[in-house]
C-alpha cells in the first residue's frame, strides 16, 4: 500500500505520535494500535474495556469532525476537491487550485523554517515554562520579506530562562486542542466511573499523561493554544484548560471570513503602531491562530478569569464585538450555500463527496454549537460519508486498478469502493505534488 509512503507532515492533521493519524486528502484514519477491524469493533462495543486505544480513535475522529463541521474545514474540503477535479480534467488554467490547496495546508502548520527547536528542557506542573509572544514577517516565493504577511509566534523558555522553542500560533494547535480534549474527557469520564482506590490511581495516571504532553519540548507546536488559554484566563486545572481552550479553538475555526474585520483589537495592541498595523494584516489574511489569540485576550480583558467549569459562548463572541451564535450560524450557512452554487456551476466531478461531508458537518455543528459546547444528538441518519479506517495489518491492492472506469463512476456521482478511492486519491495527490514542485521555477 504505497499511500503511506513519504506522507508530508503538513498533509496529516496534527500527528504527535505513531499511534494514529487522520489524512485529510485521503479521508482516512490510521489506527496503528489496532491489529484489524475485529479488534476495533470489540473496542467500539465496549470502550471501557479498551479505553486507551479507543481514546486514540476518538482523538483522530475529532480531526475528521473538525474537517467537515467547521467553517475552516469546509473551505478546506472545497479546496481539496477543486484540486482533485483539476487532476481529472487536466485544464492547465485551473492548475492554480493545486497551489492554493498546498499553500493553505502548509500555512496551517508553518512547520518548516518558522518552527524552531532550541533545547530539550522539559517542564512540569511544579516547574512550569514561561512564554513570550512576538510577531514576525513571512517571506514570499522569491525569498523577499512580505510586510503584508505577518506571523504570530510564541516562544517558550524554562523557569531559569533557557529557550526551548519558537512556534507559530497556528491552526494545527487549535486542531490538536480540540482532539486532545475529546480524548482526555473520555479518559476522565472513564476514571470517574471507578471505585476507590482505582479511581484515584487512574486520575493520577491521566494527570501525568497530560503533564507529559503539555511540557514536552518537541510538542510545543501542538500545545501552544492550551498554554496561551491557561495563562490569560488563569486556569490551573489542565483538563479545564483543554476544555476551555477547545471551545475558543472551535469558535476561531468557525468564524466566517466576512467577520474578521469586526473583531476587536485589544487596547495595548491598538496603541502600538507596529502591532496595530500587523494585527490588521493578520485579519486581512484570515489568520485563525491570531483570531484565537484575540478571542482569548478580549474575553480576559472584558470578563477576567474563567470561573467554574463552563464558559458562555455568547460572552466570548460579545467580548470581541462579534454577533451572536445564531447570526454567525446563519452567515456560515449563507457562505456554504454560495460555495455549493460555485461548485455546481463549475460542474465539479466530486460534487457528491463534497455535499455528503458538508451536509453531515452542518448537522453536527448545529447540534453541538459553534464551540462544540453542547452534547451531540443522535445524527446517525445524516451520515452519508465516513473516513476509511486503516489498521496495523490492513492490506489491500489498488495500484494496478484502471483509472478511467473509476473516474467515470465519479463523474456519474456513483459510489466507489475503498480500493477505487485510494487509486483515485493517490493519483490526484501525485499530480498536485508534481505541479507544486515546479511552481515559480
Amino acid at each position: 500500500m504505497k499511500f503511506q509512503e513519504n506522507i508530508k507532515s503538513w498533509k496529516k492533521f496534527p500527528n504527535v505520535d505513531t499511534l494514529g493519524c487522520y489524512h485529510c486528502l485521503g479521508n482516512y484514519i490510521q489506527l496503528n494500535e489496532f491489529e484489524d477491524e475485529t479488534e476495533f469493533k470489540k473496542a467500539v462495543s465496549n470502550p471501557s474495556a479498551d479505553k486507551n486505544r479507543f481514546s486514540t480513535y476518538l482523538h483522530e475522529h475529532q480531526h475528521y469532525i473538525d474537517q467537515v463541521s467547521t467553517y475552516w474545514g469546509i473551505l478546506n474540503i472545497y479546496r481539496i476537491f477543486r484540486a482533485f477535479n483539476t487532476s481529472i480534467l487536466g485544464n492547465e488554467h485551473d492548475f492554480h487550485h493545486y497551489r492554493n490547496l498546498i499553500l493553505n495546508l502548509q500555512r496551517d502548520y508553518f512547520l518548516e523554517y518558522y518552527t524552531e527547536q532550541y533545547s530539550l528542557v522539559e517542564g512540569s506542573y511544579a516547574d512550569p515554562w514561561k512564554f513570550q509572544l512576538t510577531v514576525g514577517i513571512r517571506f514570499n516565493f522569491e525569498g523577499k520579506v512580505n510586510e503584508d504577511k505577518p506571523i504570530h509566534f510564541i516562544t517558550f523558555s524554562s523557569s531559569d530562562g533557557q529557550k526551548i522553542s519558537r512556534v507559530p500560533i497556528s491552526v494545527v494547535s487549535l486542531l490538536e486542542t480540540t482532539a486532545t480534549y475529546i480524548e482526555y474527557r473520555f479518559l476522565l469520564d472513564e476514571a470517574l466511573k471507578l471505585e476507590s482506590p482505582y479511581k484515584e490511581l487512574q486520575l493520577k495516571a491521566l494527570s501525568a499523561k497530560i503533564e507529559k504532553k503539555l511540557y514536552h519540548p518537541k510538542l510545543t507546536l501542538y500545545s501552544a493554544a492550551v498554554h496561551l488559554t491557561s495563562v490569560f484566563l488563569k486556569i490551573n486545572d489542565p483538563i479545564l484548560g483543554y476544555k476551555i481552550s477547545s471551545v475558543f479553538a472551535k469558535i476561531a475555526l468557525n468564524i466566517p471570513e466576512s467577520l474578521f474585520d469586526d473583531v476587536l483589537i485589544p487596547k495595548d495592541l491598538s496603541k502600538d503602531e507596529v502591532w496595530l498595523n500587523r494585527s490588521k494584516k493578520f485579519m486581512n489574511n484570515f489568520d485563525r491562530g491570531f483570531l484565537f489569540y484575540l478571542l482569548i485576550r478580549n474575553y480576559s480583558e472584558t470578563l477576567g478569569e474563567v470561573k467554574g467549569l463552563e464558559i458562555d459562548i455568547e460572552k466570548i463572541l460579545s467580548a470581541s464585538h462579534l454577533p451572536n451564535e445564531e447570526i454567525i450560524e446563519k452567515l456560515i450557512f449563507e457562505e456554504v450555500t454560495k460555495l455549493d452554487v460555485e461548485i455546481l456551476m463549475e460542474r465539479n466531478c466530486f460534487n457528491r463527496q463534497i455535499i455528503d461531508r458538508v451536509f453531515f458537518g452542518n448537522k453536527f455543528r448545529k447540534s453541538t454549537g459553534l464551540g462544540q459546547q453542547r452534547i451531540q444528538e443522535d445524527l446517525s441518519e445524516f451520515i452519508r460519508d465516513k473516513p476509511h479506517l486503516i489498521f496495523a495489518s490492513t492490506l489491500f491492492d489498488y495500484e494496478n486498478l484502471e483509472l478511467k472506469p473509476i473516474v467515470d463512476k465519479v463523474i456519474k456521482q456513483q459510489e466507489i469502493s475503498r480500493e477505487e478511492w485510494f487509486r483515485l486519491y493517490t493519483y490526484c495527490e501525485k499530480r498536485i505534488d508534481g505541479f507544486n514542485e515546479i511552481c515559480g521555477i
Side-chain angles (χ1 to χ4, degrees):
M1 293 188 300
K2 296 182 180 179
F3 67 87
Q4 297 184 56
E5 298 174 5
N6 302 319
I7 300 175
K8 298 289 187 182
S9 297
W10 45 263
K11 286 185 181 178
K12 297 179 286 188
F13 274 42
N15 183 32
V16 299
D17 51 42
T18 59
L19 303 180
C21 71
Y22 169 65
H23 193 289
C24 62
L25 298 187
N27 192 39
Y28 67 84
I29 293 174
Q30 188 163 340
L31 298 170
N32 296 323
E33 292 180 296
F34 290 98
E35 185 64 19
D36 52 32
E37 188 176 8
T38 301
E39 277 193 1
F40 176 69
K41 285 183 176 179
K42 286 181 180 178
V44 172
S45 65
N46 187 9
S48 297
D50 201 353
K51 55 181 177 291
N52 288 322
R53 291 197 297 179
F54 189 74
S55 70
T56 299
Y57 164 70
L58 291 177
H59 182 113
E60 303 306 334
H61 188 260
Q62 180 63 35
H63 286 322
Y64 169 75
I65 289 296
D66 288 341
Q67 166 83 340
V68 300
S69 69
T70 66
Y71 181 72
W72 163 85
I74 291 170
L75 292 179
N76 209 27
I77 289 172
Y78 281 90
R79 292 189 194 103
I80 289 170
F81 285 113
R82 274 192 167 119
F84 281 16
N85 188 63
T86 300
S87 297
I88 289 176
L89 299 181
N91 186 338
E92 63 184 16
H93 294 288
D94 292 329
F95 284 2
H96 61 91
H97 291 310
Y98 295 162
R99 189 66 176 154
N100 184 42
L101 171 63
I102 294 296
L103 287 175
N104 274 280
L105 290 175
Q106 290 179 329
R107 287 166 185 160
D108 289 338
Y109 272 84
F110 289 118
L111 190 59
E112 285 110 11
Y113 183 75
Y114 294 108
T115 298
E116 292 188 351
Q117 186 74 52
Y118 303 119
S119 58
L120 299 177
V121 180
E122 295 186 7
S124 66
Y125 296 145
D127 185 24
W129 291 335
K130 298 180 290 185
F131 68 74
Q132 181 180 11
L133 297 172
T134 58
V135 64
I137 299 295
R138 287 189 263 159
F139 300 92
N140 65 18
F141 74 99
E142 294 179 328
K144 297 178 181 179
V145 168
N146 188 345
E147 293 288 347
D148 291 329
K149 302 287 185 181
I151 182 169
H152 198 205
F153 293 112
I154 179 168
T155 301
F156 290 96
S157 60
S158 63
S159 58
D160 60 0
Q162 293 185 71
K163 288 180 71 175
I164 296 166
S165 67
R166 184 200 70 176
V167 297
I169 304 172
S170 62
V171 166
V172 73
S173 186
L174 308 188
L175 296 172
E176 185 61 14
T177 299
T178 63
T180 301
Y181 169 62
I182 292 297
E183 175 187 355
Y184 289 165
R185 187 186 70 184
F186 167 73
L187 292 174
L188 175 63
D189 290 342
E190 290 299 308
L192 293 175
K193 292 177 183 178
L194 302 174
E195 300 291 335
S196 297
Y198 305 107
K199 177 171 70 176
E200 287 74 18
L201 289 171
Q202 287 294 310
L203 290 173
K204 184 177 180 180
L206 177 58
S207 178
K209 183 176 183 178
I210 298 173
E211 182 179 31
K212 185 177 180 179
K213 188 164 189 174
L214 278 174
Y215 291 103
H216 194 299
K218 290 187 176 181
L219 300 183
T220 52
L221 178 68
Y222 308 103
S223 63
V226 181
H227 283 287
L228 197 69
T229 304
S230 298
V231 168
F232 275 105
L233 300 183
K234 296 180 173 58
I235 300 172
N236 295 317
D237 179 85
I239 286 284
L240 182 60
Y242 265 106
K243 178 179 182 177
I244 301 302
S245 183
S246 177
V247 172
F248 277 95
K250 291 287 289 196
I251 293 174
L253 292 170
N254 270 316
I255 297 300
E257 294 176 351
S258 59
L259 292 177
F260 271 64
D261 286 341
D262 298 336
V263 177
L264 176 68
I265 305 297
K267 291 181 180 179
D268 61 322
L269 300 186
S270 298
K271 291 178 181 178
D272 186 299
E273 186 175 347
V274 174
W275 267 101
L276 177 59
N277 180 57
R278 290 186 176 174
S279 295
K280 291 180 178 179
K281 296 293 186 184
F282 277 124
M283 305 317 278
N284 289 339
N285 296 330
F286 310 121
D287 190 303
R288 295 186 184 275
F290 191 72
L291 172 61
F292 171 83
Y293 166 68
L294 293 185
L295 293 173
I296 296 283
R297 281 288 310 273
N298 290 331
Y299 183 93
S300 172
E301 294 181 8
T302 304
L303 299 159
E305 62 189 81
V306 172
K307 297 175 182 178
L309 301 176
E310 303 298 329
I311 191 163
D312 191 317
I313 300 296
E314 299 299 348
K315 289 181 179 179
I316 294 175
L317 297 172
S318 175
S320 287
H321 293 184
L322 288 166
N324 63 33
E325 185 175 11
E326 182 180 353
I327 292 175
I328 292 177
E329 181 58 51
K330 182 180 178 181
L331 288 173
I332 293 174
F333 177 78
E334 291 173 354
E335 291 296 319
V336 172
T337 301
K338 289 179 184 178
L339 289 170
D340 286 340
V341 172
E342 289 176 11
I343 289 295
L344 287 171
M345 295 295 290
E346 293 170 11
R347 296 184 179 181
N348 191 294
C349 299
F350 294 90
N351 187 50
R352 173 177 175 168
Q353 286 88 339
I354 295 170
I355 290 175
D356 285 353
R357 293 177 199 184
V358 174
F359 174 77
F360 170 73
N362 284 335
K363 294 292 183 181
F364 182 91
R365 188 183 60 257
K366 291 174 184 177
S367 171
T368 61
L370 285 182
Q372 202 172 327
Q373 73 273 17
R374 297 191 290 268
I375 297 175
Q376 179 187 336
E377 303 167 6
D378 181 8
L379 301 176
S380 55
E381 66 177 296
F382 303 114
I383 298 175
R384 298 174 177 175
D385 168 84
K386 290 183 179 180
H388 296 283
L389 299 179
I390 306 298
F391 307 103
S393 66
T394 300
L395 289 173
F396 58 91
D397 295 325
Y398 67 90
E399 291 96 337
N400 296 323
L401 291 177
E402 189 178 347
L403 190 62
K404 187 178 183 307
I406 303 173
V407 172
D408 289 342
K409 280 187 176 182
V410 170
I411 291 174
K412 294 175 183 177
Q413 307 294 312
Q414 296 175 355
E415 289 188 17
I416 59 176
S417 67
R418 176 185 63 177
E419 289 76 13
E420 289 172 326
W421 164 249
F422 274 84
R423 174 69 175 96
L424 182 60
Y425 122 70
T426 52
Y427 167 80
C428 294
E429 186 175 38
K430 185 176 181 180
R431 296 264 297 176
I432 294 166
D433 288 346
F435 179 78
N436 185 60
E437 290 293 326
I438 60 93
C439 273
I441 294 177

